[in-house]
Amino acid sequence: MAFMALFSITAFCQFTQRDLPPNLVTYDDAPYHFGFTLSACSWNFALTLEDDFDDIWCYNYKKIDDGQYHVDALSENKYYKILEVQTKFVHPGFAVGIVGNLRLGEYFDFRVVPGLSFGEHTISYKIAMNDNPVDGTYSFVDEEKKNSDKVECVFVDLPVLLKYKGKRIHNVRPYITGGFEGKANLLAGVGYASHTSEKLSSLKLKVWDIMYTFGGGMDFYMFWFKLGVELRYGCSFIDTRDKLEGRHFCTNSIKSAKANQFQVIFTFE
């Protein structure tokens, strides 16, 4: 749908400007230029779960004085296991950035786009409860505040990109882009120390993350500036979830969580 929207915009601009002279005819000849971006973003996780995580029943136990947090939020004398782990597909957010563009040739540019992005991650867990796991029957723990994780994030972003531009057609020029993006989470670990055994899970993200990223879009040459509309996807190289030291019942079922990032980017240059 998003690509259809880009195609429709391109066709509309071509139709409405077909009899007009081209704008900014020497714009792409400049050795460098600057601009800014506004983006709508969404994040989720690609989860890898522990082997046989949904086959293991755990008996509830109380918090003990050994520096670790154990689950005492559940009913006593019960058995529990994780049946399902899910991550919410869409987490709306937004981002702003500053564009630095270096011309490498007629069709290639090198771009650095430092900025800030704001969003959140959520993981939820479906938990079974039973007095005796041998009989095969169970009920569900449905206290959402205890068996789901919602973590707000503020990232400092540093995408380093190579941009390949197609041939300009009047006031429109398609392009594709790709590269790497470093991210620093300014809110990593905030509030984590205050989590107690009243929560069945606790998600803690690492401060640093690195993604590969790629996308494509269209540049529209307006009278005073160039407008870019782009779709971009990024995926983490590393497990973005910090080690939990066995502190929480639910998050022990996760082996790794790699962040996915989707963006609709508007560039003004």
Side-chain angles (χ1 to χ4, degrees):
M1 292 297 294
F3 284 103
M4 289 297 296
L6 284 177
F7 177 80
S8 299
I9 292 172
T10 303
F12 175 77
C13 291
Q14 286 293 95
F15 178 79
T16 56
Q17 298 185 29
R18 67 191 189 281
D19 296 327
L20 299 177
N23 299 321
L24 305 175
V25 291
T26 62
Y27 185 91
D28 290 332
D29 296 332
Y32 59 86
H33 61 262
F34 302 95
F36 67 93
T37 65
L38 300 174
S39 309
C41 310
S42 179
W43 290 271
N44 66 20
F45 282 119
L47 298 176
T48 301
L49 303 178
E50 295 288 352
D51 296 335
D52 302 323
F53 77 96
D54 55 349
D55 291 332
I56 301 173
W57 285 94
C58 299
Y59 190 73
N60 182 47
Y61 48 85
K62 289 282 189 179
K63 177 183 176 182
I64 57 178
D65 238 355
D66 61 355
Q68 297 290 312
Y69 288 90
H70 301 307
V71 176
D72 63 4
L74 298 170
S75 302
E76 294 186 43
N77 305 318
K78 298 281 186 180
Y79 289 86
Y80 299 88
K81 72 174 177 177
I82 307 297
L83 294 182
E84 190 174 319
V85 184
Q86 294 181 331
T87 178
K88 189 175 179 181
F89 182 73
V90 177
H91 291 93
F94 70 94
V96 294
I98 300 173
V99 178
N101 188 96
L102 177 66
R103 184 177 187 270
L104 299 180
E106 182 179 358
Y107 295 104
F108 287 96
D109 290 339
F110 175 77
R111 294 164 71 84
V112 179
V113 193
L116 289 173
S117 57
F118 306 83
E120 66 184 29
H121 295 281
T122 301
I123 296 179
S124 60
Y125 309 88
K126 190 173 184 180
I127 304 173
M129 177 175 64
N130 197 348
D131 293 322
N132 182 4
V134 177
D135 65 15
T137 62
Y138 51 80
S139 57
F140 297 103
V141 176
D142 59 0
E143 299 178 68
E144 185 176 348
K145 65 178 181 179
K146 293 181 179 179
N147 57 3
S148 66
D149 288 312
K150 180 179 179 181
V151 178
E152 295 182 350
C153 304
V154 176
F155 295 104
V156 176
D157 303 324
L158 186 61
V160 179
L161 305 168
L162 187 65
K163 179 178 179 180
Y164 173 74
K165 303 171 291 185
K167 184 177 180 181
R168 176 171 172 171
I169 305 173
H170 200 61
N171 285 325
V172 178
R173 191 168 193 177
Y175 67 87
I176 57 174
T177 184
F180 301 95
E181 179 174 348
K183 302 177 77 70
N185 187 1
L186 300 181
L187 297 184
V190 172
Y192 181 75
S194 65
H195 285 176
T196 69
S197 54
E198 289 301 312
K199 274 187 67 69
L200 304 183
S201 59
S202 185
L203 180 65
K204 183 182 179 183
L205 300 183
K206 294 178 180 177
V207 175
W208 302 102
D209 189 12
I210 183 168
M211 294 181 162
Y212 65 85
T213 182
F214 61 90
M218 298 284 184
D219 282 330
F220 302 96
Y221 296 80
M222 317 301 280
F223 189 75
W224 293 109
F225 64 92
K226 183 175 71 173
L227 170 65
V229 182
E230 177 183 334
L231 299 176
R232 190 186 301 170
Y233 167 76
C235 182
S236 296
F237 279 107
I238 62 174
D239 180 7
T240 58
R241 183 184 59 99
D242 209 349
K243 299 301 181 183
L244 299 177
E245 302 173 353
R247 289 176 59 175
H248 292 275
F249 173 66
C250 292
T251 38
N252 287 343
S253 63
I254 301 175
K255 183 181 293 186
S256 71
K258 296 183 179 181
N260 292 320
Q261 175 179 271
F262 303 88
Q263 292 178 285
V264 180
I265 304 171
F266 299 92
T267 305
F268 303 84
E269 300 177 67

